Amino acid sequence: NGIKVFDSNGMGFTKEKQNEVEKIFKSKKFRQGNGKVTYKYNVIEEYERVLKKFLDSKNISIRKDMKILIDPANGAMSGVATKILKDLGMNIDSINDFPDGNFPNHSPEPKEETLKETIELSKKYDFAACFDGDGDRVVFCDTRFFGYNEGITAVSKFYGAKKVVTTVETGELIDDFIDKVIRVPVGDVNVAEGVIKYNADIGVEQVGHYIFPEIGPFPDTILPIIIFASKFEERNFNEKFYYTKYSIEAKNKFEVMKRLSKESFSKLNPKNIIDIDGFRLEWGDSWALIRPSGTEPLIRIIVESKNEKRRDLILEKVKKIMRSII
């Protein structure tokens, strides 16, 4: 699946450090090591001990009265999440709970299209918690896909967070329930750095990353389930947002982005433009994000609005601008 490197503080490597590793790898100038690998076999028990102590310190109660479905998607959390939550006393059932890198039951990307079976099964439960392949993201279903922005807003609110760090991809629902929301470039390492820099209560990324600085600067997917369950009855939000993603093929995506500037979008009259990671245009009731894909020759456009027709209109206008630049 890949290798993810963390430093001695538990922080994932930044892009700069990753580039340094790649440079050394490509140079093939390696120092010889002793080949020693150390395994820590009691890591789950140690995590449970830290988690219990943390929950006690925050007066977060374990909901033993709820029935919860776990779907690890045959990924890294197979057997792990179920064990930890059951050890804490929660009532857990699971599906796709054995590791298989072929992902035989559904794609490990936890989104509405891939979780249809889980969403259907969740009708027999209070809710379902669904992981991605490497287990550092979690999303929720409760007879429907709870939604990325709804999930991170619920967990942040139920946790009692006053200051939250998130990314430019995150919708504005969270702004309606949290006192201070700070946006940083996309990526869980950027969120972790932002949490430390701004002394935030929690860091969240709308794809399902949750970072609790008092535990460590890394994504945690067990604690959000416990927090989500703790005030589950308060999960419904009255605000309705219309959110969409669109991709434009651009083999020279970085050259295209270099040709863009705030002035490129002046005809759209945004109230504010954030250009720390692509361009996020904000109008108060709506926003749009234009940024290059990190993995494919595409430029992503995300638009969200409280009005569906306005969302579609903004998307068409942004697409027209981007096609003219490309």
Side-chain angles (χ1 to χ4, degrees):
N1 189 31
I3 296 172
K4 189 165 186 176
V5 189
F6 295 82
D7 66 21
S8 57
N9 296 314
M11 175 78 77
F13 268 26
T14 62
K15 194 67 179 174
E16 291 73 25
K17 286 183 179 179
Q18 290 179 36
N19 290 339
E20 192 178 335
V21 171
E22 286 185 22
K23 187 177 178 181
I24 294 168
F25 175 75
K26 288 174 181 175
S27 75
K28 300 190 184 302
K29 295 177 182 176
F30 308 127
R31 293 196 303 270
Q32 292 298 314
N34 61 12
K36 183 179 179 183
V37 177
T38 303
Y39 292 92
K40 199 163 191 176
Y41 290 105
N42 65 342
V43 66
I44 294 176
E45 289 77 9
E46 186 175 339
Y47 173 74
E48 287 183 8
R49 178 180 57 78
V50 170
L51 186 60
K52 287 174 184 175
K53 186 177 179 182
F54 179 80
L55 293 171
D56 288 343
S57 71
K58 296 291 183 182
N59 293 316
I60 298 172
S61 58
I62 299 291
R63 291 290 295 268
K64 300 180 181 181
D65 60 324
M66 299 178 69
K67 196 173 182 183
I68 300 167
L69 179 67
I70 299 295
D71 181 1
N74 303 110
M77 290 302 279
S78 296
V80 177
T82 303
K83 171 179 168 45
I84 294 170
L85 294 169
K86 281 186 174 180
D87 285 351
L88 291 171
M90 299 181 83
N91 186 2
I92 302 294
D93 283 344
S94 63
I95 57 172
N96 310 322
D97 204 8
F98 58 93
D100 186 338
N102 295 307
F103 303 112
N105 296 296
H106 65 73
S107 163
E109 179 60 35
K111 55 185 180 181
E112 189 168 9
E113 302 86 76
T114 60
L115 293 172
K116 289 179 180 177
E117 178 191 357
T118 310
I119 293 168
E120 183 63 28
L121 284 172
S122 72
K123 294 176 182 177
K124 300 176 182 178
Y125 297 83
D126 289 290
F127 69 90
C130 312
F131 297 88
D132 69 335
D134 63 353
D136 67 351
R137 293 191 285 133
V138 64
V139 301
F140 303 102
C141 311
D142 65 339
T143 72
R144 62 189 175 94
F145 185 69
F146 194 61
Y148 296 126
N149 292 306
E150 291 175 287
I152 61 173
T153 300
V155 172
S156 299
K157 181 175 180 284
F158 299 166
Y159 185 56
K162 301 295 182 185
K163 187 190 294 185
V164 173
V165 168
T166 188
T167 75
V168 291
E169 273 191 338
T170 297
E172 294 190 344
L173 179 66
I174 195 167
D175 297 78
D176 291 344
F177 292 91
I178 303 298
D179 293 345
K180 180 74 172 176
V181 177
I182 300 164
R183 286 181 167 82
V184 298
V186 173
D188 61 291
V189 175
N190 294 323
V191 173
E193 289 184 313
V195 166
I196 294 168
K197 180 179 178 180
Y198 298 106
N199 193 29
D201 301 307
I202 186 176
V204 295
E205 194 169 16
Q206 56 108 21
V207 291
H209 281 129
Y210 295 87
I211 293 171
F212 300 88
E214 292 178 73
I215 288 184
F218 43 78
D220 184 299
T221 46
I222 298 294
L223 185 51
I225 297 171
I226 297 167
I227 293 170
F228 187 71
S230 69
K231 297 185 179 180
F232 177 70
E233 291 77 11
E234 300 175 31
R235 72 195 181 285
N236 293 320
F237 304 108
N238 294 324
E239 290 278 14
K240 176 66 176 175
F241 288 84
Y242 297 92
Y243 185 95
T244 190
K245 287 185 178 182
Y246 185 85
S247 297
I248 295 181
E249 188 174 337
K251 293 178 181 178
N252 57 339
K253 58 185 178 182
F254 296 118
E255 288 300 317
V256 171
M257 294 305 296
K258 283 180 184 177
R259 291 203 293 271
L260 288 173
S261 67
K262 290 183 178 181
E263 286 69 36
S264 304
F265 306 102
S266 59
K267 289 182 180 179
L268 302 180
N269 297 313
K271 292 182 179 178
N272 185 40
I273 298 180
I274 302 172
D275 59 355
I276 57 174
D277 184 6
F279 294 86
R280 180 181 165 112
L281 321 176
E282 298 180 337
W283 291 271
D285 64 339
S286 312
W287 62 274
L289 177 69
I290 303 96
R291 68 182 295 273
S293 164
T295 55
E296 299 176 88
L298 302 170
I299 290 176
R300 311 282 191 195
I301 301 172
I302 300 174
V303 182
E304 182 185 75
S305 178
K306 292 182 179 180
N307 182 287
E308 190 173 11
K309 288 183 178 178
R310 178 155 168 73
R311 178 203 65 184
D312 296 342
L313 179 63
I314 291 171
L315 177 60
E316 288 307 311
K317 288 182 176 180
V318 172
K319 282 162 60 176
K320 187 176 180 181
I321 291 170
M322 292 308 300
R323 283 180 177 140
S324 69
I325 296 285
I326 292 170

